[in-house]
Amino acid sequence: MEYLMMAPVASFIFAITILTSVMAFSNDNLYANLILHPYSVSRRHRVYTVITSGLIHNDWMHLFFNMLSFYFFAFRLEPLLGHWQFGLLYVVSLILSDLPTVYKHRNDDWYHSLGASGAVSAVIFSAILFNPLDRMMIMPIPIGIPAVIFGVLYLVYCNYASKYSRDNINHDAHMFGALSGLLITIILQPHVVHSFIEQVTAGVQSLTH
């Protein structure tokens, strides 16, 4: 109930994503209707899947990690960003994170993509703007690192993996989702830039004294 009061939009997204994903695990027709098919979208068919593909996942592990990340960041972010602003951030980032994939694979009839990773990346990076010095964990590093450093490493990795990885993970969606989260947050809350700079500057100064 506390989460519903503090973050009703995040609560709804969390619940509907889990419900739809679980339903699609055992319903091939639902899965096929919701998954992103860039070949079709680029030809103006099933355009809605740039959104619905974020409601389904490949397997339980895929769903678990995306929703775990969402849980840790979204419910703290919504009170800072605002309710309708959070909803806008999530949906627009979901769409923007898929557009490069649609373009890149517009002629690949075999290619499909799914999952909320792009929008979840947007949520994480929006949260980093508000709290750049929060500690975040990256395996196998045994200690937390500042969120702002995590963000830089994340973008570098996504850019590298997008070019060279062959692991069937849509790294483009991760990277463009993260960048969308930064841009949309700055548009909605311009003051966050000044706060971000102040916090990072204070953090650097504390290390040099």
Side-chain angles (χ1 to χ4, degrees), residues 35-56:
I35 197 169
L36 176 68
H37 186 219
Y39 183 89
S40 296
V41 173
S42 65
R43 287 155 180 79
R44 300 182 182 179
H45 301 303
R46 301 175 64 223
V47 177
Y48 65 89
T49 59
V50 297
I51 294 177
T52 60
S53 59
L55 297 174
I56 57 175

Side-chain angles (χ1 to χ4, degrees), residues 15 23 37 46 51 53-54 75 87 121 134 155 158 161 171-172 206:
M23 289 173 59
H37 186 219
R46 301 175 64 223
I51 294 177
S53 59
F75 292 99
S121 293
D134 273 4
L155 290 176
C158 286
H171 295 284
D172 287 328
S206 68

Side-chain angles (χ1 to χ4, degrees), residues 9-192:
V9 179
S11 298
F12 174 77
I13 291 171
F14 187 70
I16 196 68
T17 302
I18 293 174
L19 177 63
T20 308
S21 293
V22 172
M23 289 173 59
F25 287 156
S26 57
N27 188 327
D28 291 340
N29 286 333
L30 179 63
Y31 184 91
N33 285 328
L34 298 185
I35 197 169
L36 176 68
H37 186 219
Y39 183 89
S40 296
V41 173
S42 65
R43 287 155 180 79
R44 300 182 182 179
H45 301 303
R46 301 175 64 223
V47 177
Y48 65 89
T49 59
V50 297
I51 294 177
T52 60
S53 59
L55 297 174
I56 57 175
H57 289 79
N58 190 52
D59 52 36
W60 285 100
M61 193 64 69
H62 188 201
L63 174 64
F64 173 76
F65 279 113
N66 266 347
M67 291 300 96
L68 183 67
S69 299
F70 183 88
Y71 175 81
F72 281 132
F73 292 95
F75 292 99
R76 292 169 54 200
L77 176 63
E78 185 175 335
L80 296 173
L81 192 60
H83 303 309
W84 71 264
Q85 293 93 334
F86 178 86
L88 182 70
L89 171 86
Y90 192 89
V91 174
V92 173
S93 295
L94 188 59
I95 295 170
L96 292 179
S97 69
D98 276 341
L99 293 184
T101 298
V102 171
Y103 179 78
K104 183 177 181 178
H105 294 283
R106 64 192 182 280
N107 294 318
D108 300 329
D109 190 32
W110 54 270
Y111 186 87
H112 295 79
S113 181
L114 75 171
S117 299
V120 171
S121 293
V123 168
I124 294 172
F125 273 71
S126 179
I128 289 173
L129 276 178
F130 283 99
N131 297 291
L133 300 183
D134 273 4
R135 294 281 165 169
M136 300 178 70
M137 301 295 295
I138 302 180
M139 297 297 291
I141 301 174
I143 59 173
I145 65 173
V148 63
I149 296 177
F150 166 87
V152 172
L153 295 176
Y154 183 91
L155 290 176
V156 170
Y157 167 74
C158 286
N159 183 56
Y160 175 85
S162 175
K163 295 176 180 177
Y164 303 109
S165 179
R166 297 292 181 267
D167 55 9
N168 294 321
I169 295 173
N170 188 351
H171 295 284
D172 287 328
H174 289 78
M175 181 170 66
F176 285 100
L179 294 174
S180 297
L182 293 175
L183 178 63
I184 294 168
T185 302
I186 291 170
I187 292 172
L188 293 174
Q189 304 274 6
H191 66 85
V192 77

